[in-house]
Amino acid sequence: MAQHDYNIANASFPTVRSDINDVLSAINTSNSGTSRPSGAVAGTIWLDTSGGATAHILKFYDGGADINLATINTTANTVDFTDSSVTFDIVNDTSPQLGGQLDVNGNAIGDGTLELLKFSETGSAVNEFTIANASTGNNPVLSATGGDTNVGIEFTTKGTGTIKFNDLAYIPQQALTSSSNAVAWDTQAKPNAYHLTTENTTFSAPTNAVEGAFICVEINYNGSHTIAFNTIFEFAGSTAPTFTSADGKTDILVFKYNGAIWQEVGRTLNLSES
């Protein structure tokens, strides 16, 4: 380790040669020393060794003061960029790796949105999953947003592992409306539905049915309207119930899809509307 004033004075050859060797030594050791080199000018980078082998500090002299660039630990062979003004990115690293656990120090990654990509064998992104902060409240949102037209999310445990919910899990209730005396029901989008009657109506064959799926509908009567169901709905005893069809009353029905028909698994009729 060495420093030099970078001034080669006129002298005899052996002296000049020695001076040149000292300059090269300073360059070769990154101007190492316990204080700033005497010949430092704006733009000089030097290594402050006053902290010992575990805390060498790489500094940039701006002509008036030294700016810390990094702390180098030659014992652990690590470099820490510690100054808040130092930033970096990994845009040119096509396969970045972590050497340990990622600690975000209470901060979010980017704007709080985490995107997870699944790649095909050709390397193109086919599915994209996003975990983002909700626009209101504190509920993060997990959604499938890219790649294929229809993308699902599947959770699979290992061995005898289970999926545990420590708090309430629910499916938001969504409205179904009737048009031309028929109710169209997309069971993928609205598995837990309610219908406020406006006319005599029939529930058409649901779309996007998946074997093993459960759906529920709450029918609120806003008048003495009649209700019927497509034949794809199978009721207990193969007979549809006598629906309440009275203003201010509510019927609730639950069905399970077996791959061919929607089988009734529960009903509660003639509730007071609330």
Side-chain angles (χ1 to χ4, degrees):
M1 296 184 180
Q3 293 181 340
H4 197 276
D5 61 8
Y6 289 90
N7 181 29
I8 307 298
N10 289 327
S12 63
F13 175 73
T15 300
V16 170
R17 183 181 63 181
S18 177
D19 209 11
I20 292 174
N21 286 335
D22 288 343
V23 169
L24 295 175
S25 179
I27 295 172
N28 200 35
T29 60
S30 302
N31 297 303
S32 300
T34 57
S35 62
R36 185 194 311 137
S38 60
V41 297
T44 296
I45 294 177
W46 66 284
L47 186 64
D48 185 350
T49 60
S50 61
T54 60
H56 289 347
I57 302 177
L58 188 64
K59 298 183 175 183
F60 174 88
Y61 181 57
D62 65 4
D66 294 308
I67 301 173
N68 292 350
L69 299 180
T71 299
I72 302 171
N73 186 327
T74 59
T75 301
N77 295 324
T78 59
V79 177
D80 294 322
F81 291 89
T82 56
D83 192 276
S84 60
S85 64
V86 177
T87 60
F88 67 95
D89 58 48
I90 55 173
V91 67
N92 293 318
D93 189 344
T94 58
S95 57
Q97 297 181 355
L98 292 176
Q101 297 293 329
L102 176 62
D103 182 358
V104 298
N105 195 28
N107 297 308
I109 299 176
D111 61 358
T113 299
L114 176 61
E115 295 184 352
L116 308 175
L117 300 179
K118 178 181 179 181
F119 292 91
S120 67
E121 291 182 359
T122 60
S124 60
V126 293
N127 296 332
E128 178 179 303
F129 302 95
T130 302
I131 302 174
N133 289 332
S135 56
T136 59
N138 297 314
N139 299 323
V141 177
L142 172 63
S143 57
T145 58
D148 297 337
T149 302
N150 301 304
V151 181
I153 299 174
E154 180 177 322
F155 297 93
T156 303
T157 63
K158 184 176 181 179
T160 58
T162 59
I163 298 175
K164 179 182 178 182
F165 296 90
N166 290 320
D167 300 293
L168 175 68
Y170 77 103
I171 301 174
Q173 193 176 51
Q174 300 185 71
L176 298 175
T177 58
S178 63
S179 177
S180 301
N181 303 105
V183 174
W185 191 355
D186 182 345
T187 58
Q188 187 276 334
K190 300 179 179 180
N192 183 20
Y194 70 92
H195 173 62
L196 179 64
T197 66
T198 57
E199 60 182 350
N200 298 334
T201 191
T202 297
F203 281 77
S204 304
T207 57
N208 295 320
V210 178
E211 185 176 357
F214 286 84
I215 58 174
C216 176
V217 62
E218 175 184 320
I219 304 171
N220 296 322
Y221 296 97
N222 188 31
S224 299
H225 300 122
T226 61
I227 294 293
F229 280 78
N230 184 278
T231 56
I232 200 171
F233 291 93
E234 173 72 13
F235 293 93
S238 298
T239 303
T242 301
F243 298 104
T244 304
S245 298
D247 187 38
K249 293 294 184 176
T250 296
D251 293 338
I252 299 176
L253 300 103
V254 180
F255 301 91
K256 176 181 178 293
Y257 190 60
N258 70 356
I261 59 174
W262 286 99
Q263 299 171 311
E264 182 190 24
V265 295
R267 74 173 75 159
T268 303
L269 307 179
N270 200 23
L271 296 171
S272 294
E273 189 176 74
S274 59

